[in-house]
Amino acid sequence: MNDDRRLGVLRAIVTEYVHTREPVGSKVIAQSHDLGVSSATIRNDMALLEEAGLIYQPHTSAGRVPTDKGYRLFVDSLSALKPMSDPERSAVEHFLEDSSNLDDVVVRTVRLLAQVTHQVAVVEYPTLALQMLKRVEIVDLAATNVLVIVVTDSGRVSQDTIELRTQLTSGDIAVLREKLNAVFSALGPDEILASVEALKALLEMRLRDVADVLAQSIARLLRPSGESKIVMAGMSNLARGAVDFHDIAPVLDALEEQVVLMRLFSELQLDDDVHVSIGAENEHDALAEASVVASTYHAPPRSGDTRAHLGIVGPTRMDYARTMASVRAVAAYLSRYLNR
């Protein structure tokens, strides 16, 4: 049997089944795909594909459906991924361009990925090895409580509520805000703590103890937590595809708890391309009927060239070529945005 033709038959079965969810027969392939052979020859090829464990017949007299092994061969045979169209690229760039900080861009990215793939999208936050202060704000809450808001050079926003021994006036807060930004801007946590004395020299005596407490808070907010954090979107997409699962409950449970996804991302050894794990290839039982398509994006080099992951989770019956291209493109755009 011609191996190239057999691969062509497999591709036809995957393509038709992904779009119709109906078992695929030889007549459909002969009519819709220009393989240059009769339906009888295609039936013979399908029998050999079935013997190889690449397709199966769900019931007597039905057409054929791809197995996990068949999907794997199909994915591995994709020599090139079709890039996004110009309108799609423009939409992605415009969608991310309006982001104001890291939290905003991550949320926008996960929503965008869910929309373009019609699957559950997952984005892992980067754990930045080193963050520099871009700006600090101080907000008077009540009595001696103040809110410290830190914006990093990567756009991440974090905050801390602290209690001071000294009650501050609005004038005190304005002075502290000005001096903190003047002395600490573009510094990392260790450099900030080393610059406290320089800050104190600019302040009147009664505010110097306050400067110590604020510096400690700012440095703490700049240090990475070391905890993985992920955000998701598109759970409704999975619910609409529930018919593709014998039991969708384990997948929903795994997504809700997030532990399986965090472990999966931690196990992936990804470069800048796309990783696909299909059905039983997933080591976690909860994803035994699902496929995961993932890629890597990069935080700024000044932050230790830290890598984080994003991807989608969906049924094994998916448009792999389009999904892989979308995941790779969105990862590239996110890297570009963070490294601007």
Side-chain angles (χ1 to χ4, degrees):
M1 184 180 109
N2 186 291
D3 287 342
D4 289 339
R5 192 180 68 226
R6 179 180 62 176
L7 184 57
V9 172
L10 176 63
R11 285 173 175 162
I13 292 172
V14 171
T15 301
E16 292 294 333
Y17 183 66
V18 164
H19 286 92
T20 67
R21 204 184 174 274
E22 294 292 333
V24 183
S26 58
K27 287 186 178 180
V28 171
I29 297 175
Q31 293 169 359
S32 304
H33 300 265
D34 185 17
L35 299 180
V37 295
S38 67
S39 58
T41 300
I42 292 173
R43 279 196 299 275
N44 291 334
D45 290 348
M46 291 171 70
L48 292 172
L49 289 170
E50 190 166 8
E51 287 180 10
L54 299 170
I55 59 175
Y56 73 97
Q57 190 174 28
H59 53 82
T60 305
S61 300
R64 303 302 191 273
V65 171
T67 64
D68 290 354
K69 185 178 177 181
Y71 282 127
R72 168 50 60 194
L73 181 57
F74 171 81
V75 168
D76 291 345
S77 72
L78 294 172
S79 58
L81 298 179
K82 182 181 179 181
M84 282 185 162
S85 66
D86 289 340
E88 287 173 328
R89 286 199 301 271
S90 297
V92 171
E93 290 175 342
H94 179 73
F95 197 79
L96 297 184
E97 196 66 35
D98 293 334
S99 303
S100 58
N101 54 56
L102 180 61
D103 292 317
D104 190 24
V105 74
V106 168
V107 170
R108 284 174 175 265
T109 298
V110 77
R111 285 170 48 202
L112 172 69
L113 194 55
Q115 289 172 11
V116 298
T117 63
H118 307 292
Q119 308 290 356
V120 176
V122 184
V123 177
E124 178 185 31
Y125 266 87
T127 302
L128 301 179
L130 179 63
Q131 298 185 78
M132 305 294 185
L133 178 69
K134 180 178 181 181
R135 187 175 74 255
V136 61
E137 297 289 342
I138 305 172
V139 179
D140 186 17
L141 296 179
T144 55
N145 290 334
V146 296
L147 178 67
V148 179
I149 304 173
V150 162
V151 181
T152 73
D153 59 344
S154 67
R156 186 157 195 168
V157 180
S158 52
Q159 60 187 43
D160 184 24
T161 301
I162 58 176
E163 185 173 359
L164 304 172
R165 295 181 180 178
T166 304
Q167 187 165 358
L168 302 177
T169 66
S170 59
D172 293 335
I173 289 178
V175 169
L176 286 166
R177 182 188 299 115
E178 177 190 352
K179 302 304 181 185
L180 285 166
N181 282 297
V183 177
F184 292 163
S185 179
L187 299 183
D190 293 334
E191 296 169 307
I192 284 175
L193 295 179
S195 302
V196 173
E197 293 304 320
L199 173 65
K200 288 181 177 180
L202 302 176
L203 299 172
E204 57 182 288
M205 187 66 67
R206 68 186 184 85
L207 295 179
R208 292 180 180 178
D209 287 342
V210 175
D212 273 320
V213 177
L214 291 175
Q216 291 287 342
S217 174
I218 294 168
R220 184 168 58 251
L221 291 172
L222 288 174
R223 295 188 191 281
S225 66
E227 298 177 356
S228 296
K229 179 183 176 182
I230 61 175
V231 292
M232 289 187 298
M235 292 291 284
S236 60
N237 292 330
L238 191 67
R240 282 192 289 269
V243 68
D244 287 306
F245 296 89
H246 289 103
D247 183 4
I248 198 174
V251 183
L252 294 173
D253 290 342
L255 292 175
E256 183 177 352
E257 295 176 6
Q258 299 191 359
V259 175
V260 170
L261 290 174
M262 288 189 288
R263 189 179 303 142
L264 176 67
F265 278 155
S266 70
E267 292 169 354
L268 292 178
Q269 299 298 318
L270 297 179
D271 53 20
D272 285 328
D273 213 345
V274 182
H275 174 90
V276 182
S277 55
I278 301 169
E281 294 175 356
N282 293 304
E283 296 183 3
H284 308 285
D285 292 342
L287 301 179
E289 293 187 352
S291 286
V292 179
V293 180
S295 190
T296 305
Y297 72 93
H298 294 263
R302 63 182 179 277
S303 301
D305 196 25
T306 302
R307 301 186 306 172
H309 307 116
L310 59 77
I312 64 91
V313 178
T316 54
R317 187 187 70 89
M318 71 168 64
D319 187 341
Y320 285 96
R322 180 176 176 81
T323 301
M324 292 165 66
S326 298
V327 167
R328 185 172 65 179
V330 171
Y333 283 121
L334 181 54
S335 294
R336 189 180 308 165
Y337 178 88
L338 292 177
N339 284 278
R340 288 188 313 180

